[in-house]
């Protein structure tokens, strides 16, 4: 008898691909369903443990992440090629997220209302769904699992997390830390790929996905068909708008960081730079210079800003995207053992070019002219995505017009397109997001559903 080969889950160091961190057999769909069943059995106990127990468990996770910060940052550097400074910032953010949600179990979960007629009480109350199935990408291996799991656990769900295969070691380490603080089966990491992801969507009581748009849409469709609440945070094709009155040096610095930081592998990276009127010439020069000055190389080096791409295929498709276009900065592929691409700015990109339609997910952006603000807004809104836009101007009135006209979920004035505050709602429009927002109080709503109770007096009124 022959048995079908079990696919491997493999993760390797993108800066030194011979360095393999994880190679394990994929657990498969049955193991996923089993993990969900165990999480379901543990959920009532976790809820009934009470607000103080859940709060103190989340606080303990925050403290443990803080204590292990150096080791965790080094692991993110090694497994997903995140430059050390950003990796440290991500671990600090993950700890802050757990600390923030550690207060959530004590938040009011409802309200008391007057009956429309007669005596009694009407109560509303939010309750957890059961098992939260979380599917995450590789690019924020600690922060994204944390900003999903912490609110889900705070309000009394249990969690099964399926991380991206490329970030398996980070997820397993996160599991060790969280599992020290919570009872068995309350938080499970199930490694895997599409098979395990699909199985999780088929079994969980609420689904939160972050990743690419095609996969997110499939996940949202499958969860919706089961009648299960779902949110999907997906890709971006984000623009930076630069007005003639902007501080051009400041704008160039922010935009260069948003193009090149972590090799452009963020959903909030800038990939279109729209210069209005006379901003074009000075911005063209300042941004080209800023991109040429970006330190590229070993992500373990504290000064590196642009490390490797996650895969060879990811690097190849970035290089393919800029091929044949006039290059203002970058445009080469540094030698490596790793998969590097230089931060690159191109111009004269024809409408319909892939760079202006699809998320390339690398350190490359197109510089485009616009006649005026209205034209710049039309260009910004012309793509299928709507995650974030940065607007660079000294004039608060112009900034306010931008707020009204842009169709992206987040607008950042005189700031890089990248970078989010963990306590505010996060998400976009169009192909960038599906369903309710993540983070902040919005997440507490998403991981619960409402109940309405009527409490009438027992016996006959005298
Ligand atoms: P991906 O879509 O390839 O994978 C995301 C996750 O989905 C992984 O865990 C993967 O194993 C799983 N998966 C794959 N196929 C599946 C299926 N059929 N059913 C269920 N799960 C499945 O994305 P990625 O390459 O890991 O991450 C990069 C993408 O993530 C980019 O598009 C980026 O913009 C996006 N992203 C978005 C945000 C945001 O908040 N909007 C944040 C970070 C990354």
């Amino acid at each position: 008898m022959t048995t079908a080969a079990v696919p491997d889950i493999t993760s390797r160091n993108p800066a030194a691909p011979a360095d393999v961190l994880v190679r394990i057999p994929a657990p498969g769909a049955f193991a996923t369903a089993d993990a969900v069943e165990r999480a379901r059995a543990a959920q009532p106990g976790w809820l009934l443990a009470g607000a103080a127990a859940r709060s103190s468990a989340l606080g303990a996770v925050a403290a443990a992440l803080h204590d292990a910060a150096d080791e965790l940052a080094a692991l993110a550097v090694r497994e997903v090629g995140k430059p050390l400074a950003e990796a440290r910032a991500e671990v600090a953010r993950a700890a802050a997220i757990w600390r923030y949600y550690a207060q959530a179990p004590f938040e009011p979960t409802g309200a008391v209302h007057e009956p429309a007629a007669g005596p009694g009480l009407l109560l509303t109350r939010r309750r957890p769904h059961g098992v939260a199935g979380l599917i995450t990408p590789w690019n924020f291996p600690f922060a994204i699992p944390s900003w999903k799991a912490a609110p889900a656990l705070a309000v009394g769900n249990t969690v099964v997390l399926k991380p991206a295969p490329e970030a398996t070691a980070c997820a397993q380490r996160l599991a060790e830390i969280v599992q020290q603080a919570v009872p068995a089966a309350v938080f499970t990491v199930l490694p895997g790929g599409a098979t395990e992801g699909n199985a999780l969507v088929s079994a969980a009581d609420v689904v939160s996905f972050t990743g690419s748009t095609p996969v997110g849409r499939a996940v949202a469709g499958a969860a919706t068909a089961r009648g299960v609440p779902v949110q999907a945070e997906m890709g971006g094709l984000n623009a930076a708008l630069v007005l003639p009155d902007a501080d051009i040096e400041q704008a160039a610095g922010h935009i260069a960081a948003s193009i090149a930081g972590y090799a452009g592998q963020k959903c909030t990276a800038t990939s279109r730079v729209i210069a209005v009127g006379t901003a074009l010439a000075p911005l063209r020069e300042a941004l080209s210079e800023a991109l040429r000055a970006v330190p590229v190389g070993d992500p373990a080096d504290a000064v590196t800003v642009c490390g490797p791409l996650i895969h060879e295929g990811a690097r190849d498709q970035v290089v393919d995207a800029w091929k044949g276009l006039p290059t203002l900065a970058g445009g080469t592929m540094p030698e490596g053992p790793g998969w590097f691409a230089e931060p690159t700015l191109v111009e004269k990109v024809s409408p319909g070019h892939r760079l202006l339609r699809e998320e390339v997910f690398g350190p490359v952006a197109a510089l485009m002219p616009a006649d005026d603000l209205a034209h710049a807004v039309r260009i910004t809104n012309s793509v299928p995505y709507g995650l974030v836009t940065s607007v660079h101007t000294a004039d608060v009135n112009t900034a306010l017009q931008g707020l009204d006209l842009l169709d992206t979920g987040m607008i950042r004035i005189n700031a890089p397109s990248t970078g989010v505050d963990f306590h505010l709602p996060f998400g976009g429009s169009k192909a960038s997001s599906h369903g309710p927002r993540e983070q902040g109080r919005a997440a507490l709503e998403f991981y619960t559903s409402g109940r309405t109770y009527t409490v009438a007096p027992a016996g006959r009124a005298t």
Side-chain angles (χ1 to χ4, degrees), residues 15-381:
D19 174 20
V20 174
L21 283 86
V22 175
R23 181 168 288 147
I24 51 172
F30 287 123
T32 313
D34 191 48
V36 172
E37 276 320 304
R38 277 182 286 115
R40 188 164 286 126
Q43 192 266 332
W46 174 241
L47 176 64
L48 294 175
R54 280 182 271 126
S55 173
S56 109
L58 269 64
V61 175
L65 287 169
H66 175 79
D67 291 347
D70 288 346
E71 172 226 326
L72 299 176
L75 184 59
V77 168
R78 184 171 161 223
E79 189 171 43
V80 298
K82 182 160 287 200
L84 182 59
E86 284 213 41
R88 285 186 175 139
E90 181 182 342
V91 175
R93 170 139 65 118
I97 289 165
W98 288 91
R99 208 175 296 124
Y100 168 77
Y101 283 114
Q103 295 310 309
F106 294 113
E107 292 278 305
T109 56
V112 182
H113 301 259
E114 286 299 300
L121 288 175
L122 297 179
L123 309 174
T124 56
R125 190 185 188 197
R126 297 197 70 82
R127 306 304 284 156
H129 297 292
V131 180
L134 313 180
I135 301 176
T136 52
W138 46 265
N139 64 338
F140 285 87
F142 294 113
I144 291 181
S146 293
W147 84 46
K148 294 180 190 295
L153 292 171
V155 294
N157 299 278
T158 50
V159 163
V160 177
L161 164 69
K162 197 218 69 66
E166 297 89 339
T168 302
C170 289
Q172 287 174 329
R173 190 66 191 95
L174 180 66
E176 285 169 8
I177 287 173
V178 180
Q179 285 163 0
Q180 294 281 319
V182 300
V186 166
F187 179 86
T188 305
V189 165
L190 188 98
T195 302
E196 291 75 13
N198 255 315
L200 186 54
V201 175
S202 306
D205 303 313
V206 55
V207 173
S208 180
F209 169 90
T210 299
S212 62
T213 295
V215 176
R217 285 197 159 151
V219 164
T224 303
R226 289 185 56 229
V228 163
V230 59
Q231 65 184 183
E233 285 306 329
M234 304 177 277
L237 188 52
N238 310 305
L241 274 59
V242 183
L243 279 294
D245 65 356
D247 178 329
I248 296 290
E249 288 302 317
Q250 184 201 52
H254 285 329
I255 296 169
S258 303
I259 295 171
Y262 191 23
Q265 300 173 112
K266 300 178 194 172
C267 55
T268 51
T270 295
S271 47
R272 298 177 297 146
V273 183
I274 304 170
V276 175
T278 55
L280 182 62
L283 182 70
R284 190 174 183 269
E285 195 178 321
L287 182 56
S288 305
E289 202 174 307
L291 279 172
R292 281 187 223 110
V294 168
V296 181
D298 182 358
D301 188 333
V303 302
T304 296
V305 170
C306 181
L309 277 299
I310 191 77
H311 297 129
E312 187 172 16
R315 192 270 318 273
D316 291 349
Q317 62 123 10
V318 170
V319 173
D320 192 57
W322 75 50
K323 208 179 274 172
L325 292 169
T327 302
L328 296 169
T332 65
M333 210 171 73
E335 286 297 307
W339 299 302
F340 292 90
E342 266 191 327
T344 295
L345 184 66
V346 293
E347 62 177 352
K348 301 190 172 37
V349 183
S350 54
H353 188 282
R354 193 176 139 224
L355 274 176
L356 307 183
R357 281 184 293 115
E358 293 170 23
E359 182 189 48
V360 170
F361 223 52
V364 54
L367 178 64
M368 308 159 82
D371 302 333
D372 51 27
L373 177 63
H375 185 202
V377 168
R378 277 199 306 281
I379 298 172
T380 306
N381 292 349

